[in-house]
Amino acid sequence: MSLLTMVKIGVIALLLTLELIIFYGVNIALAYPFRGLIHLMMAYWYYSERKAILNQIDKLFLVSCLIPAITPIPIYIFGFTWGTLLEVALLLVSYQLLIRIYFLEGARIRITGKKQLNTFFRAVIPYVCLPLTYFFLVVFPLTKPDVFIVTFIYLVQIMYMALLSAYLPFPEKSKLLISLGMFFILFASGASVHRVYVVPYFFDYGFVRIAAVLGRILIIAGLLNRINQEGLISKSA
């Protein structure tokens, strides 16, 4: 990891720290703009590494980074209930772009061969079984029908996206980073649902934000590592 990359990650960590300090110590509403700044910084990080040779996948990924930067805005305009629904809708669009990227990169969920079957069983427990178990045992009994439908649609898309990431035809390090990123995004989503619809808990917003930001950082690192590895291979060929 280069010094410049470490500096960019350090800036993201500093912005996240400021967001949490303001959220817990100053004013909740004043903390939300920092969420946007964090995603703008992540988009800048990826763009600065790829600006010389931007392709379709790069552009889709940049949009997927920029969409979460505006997700806090609906809450200011429409209030918590409708604002949260619009935030979920925007995040779903962002995740659809990631799914599209994984498809363009060649990811397909297959269970025909031994290797694909092993990948499926390794991924299905953390990415499907555990989230569904939590959802139906904890969230389902406590939520209203409309909340249940929205959160279930949201959960299914994230589970599919995470499972699909395990089938990316990338070098092992890149795939591991992206899969870990998917895990943290799943964790952040579950932690967010729990704090909003089940019961608040100690440092709940902090856990959600740390996991969500870490997940995005790992995905960026995985994509950039894969691109750099392919560049090294092509130069040595």
Side-chain angles (χ1 to χ4, degrees):
M1 184 180 294
S2 68
L3 177 60
L4 188 57
T5 298
M6 292 177 65
V7 170
K8 292 170 185 173
I9 294 176
V11 172
I12 293 170
L14 176 61
L15 289 171
L16 178 59
T17 302
L18 291 172
E19 177 190 350
L20 296 181
I21 290 173
I22 293 172
F23 183 90
Y24 284 107
V26 182
N27 185 284
I28 293 175
L30 295 178
Y32 289 137
F34 284 86
R35 289 171 58 179
L37 290 175
I38 289 168
H39 286 285
L40 289 174
M41 184 62 204
M42 287 192 283
Y44 168 74
W45 170 23
Y46 187 85
Y47 175 77
S48 66
E49 298 284 342
R50 296 288 297 162
K51 59 184 178 182
I53 46 173
L54 280 176
N55 57 30
Q56 181 187 5
I57 290 174
D58 295 325
K59 293 174 183 177
L60 289 174
F61 185 72
L62 286 171
V63 175
S64 78
C65 288
L66 292 172
I67 287 176
I70 63 172
T71 53
I73 295 176
I75 294 178
Y76 287 99
I77 299 174
F78 301 104
F80 178 78
T81 302
W82 286 105
T84 300
L85 287 174
L86 288 172
E87 180 181 8
V88 169
L90 288 170
L91 288 174
L92 287 176
V93 173
S94 177
Y95 295 150
Q96 276 294 326
L97 291 174
L98 283 176
I99 290 171
R100 177 61 178 164
I101 289 168
Y102 294 163
F103 264 97
L104 290 174
E105 292 286 7
R108 299 291 188 277
I109 298 175
R110 297 188 178 96
I111 55 175
T112 53
K114 183 178 180 181
K115 183 178 179 180
Q116 290 86 353
L117 193 61
N118 289 337
T119 299
F120 179 79
F121 282 117
R122 285 199 304 268
V124 77
I125 293 175
Y127 295 152
V128 178
C129 294
L130 291 179
L132 282 179
T133 300
Y134 161 77
F135 185 79
F136 282 107
L137 291 183
V138 179
V139 179
F140 174 67
L142 299 175
T143 55
K144 299 177 181 178
D146 55 343
V147 174
F148 166 77
I149 293 171
V150 172
T151 53
F152 186 69
I153 292 172
Y154 183 79
L155 175 65
V156 168
Q157 179 158 307
I158 298 179
M159 289 191 304
Y160 177 69
M161 178 176 64
L163 187 60
L164 192 64
S165 73
Y167 286 86
L168 284 166
F170 287 179
E172 286 303 316
K173 181 180 178 180
S174 300
K175 187 158 63 174
L176 176 61
L177 288 170
I178 293 172
S179 291
L180 282 174
M182 290 291 103
F183 175 81
F184 280 108
I185 287 178
L186 259 173
F187 177 84
S189 300
S192 180
V193 168
H194 198 91
R195 71 180 287 267
V196 174
Y197 298 114
V198 181
V199 62
Y201 50 92
F202 173 74
F203 201 59
D204 49 6
Y205 180 82
F207 284 125
V208 172
R209 293 296 299 135
I210 291 170
V213 171
L214 180 57
R216 292 275 182 173
I217 287 175
L218 289 169
I219 292 171
I220 293 173
L223 288 174
L224 292 177
N225 179 77
R226 174 256 183 173
I227 292 165
N228 292 337
Q229 288 294 320
E230 288 188 348
L232 290 173
I233 292 171
S234 63
K235 287 180 181 179
S236 62

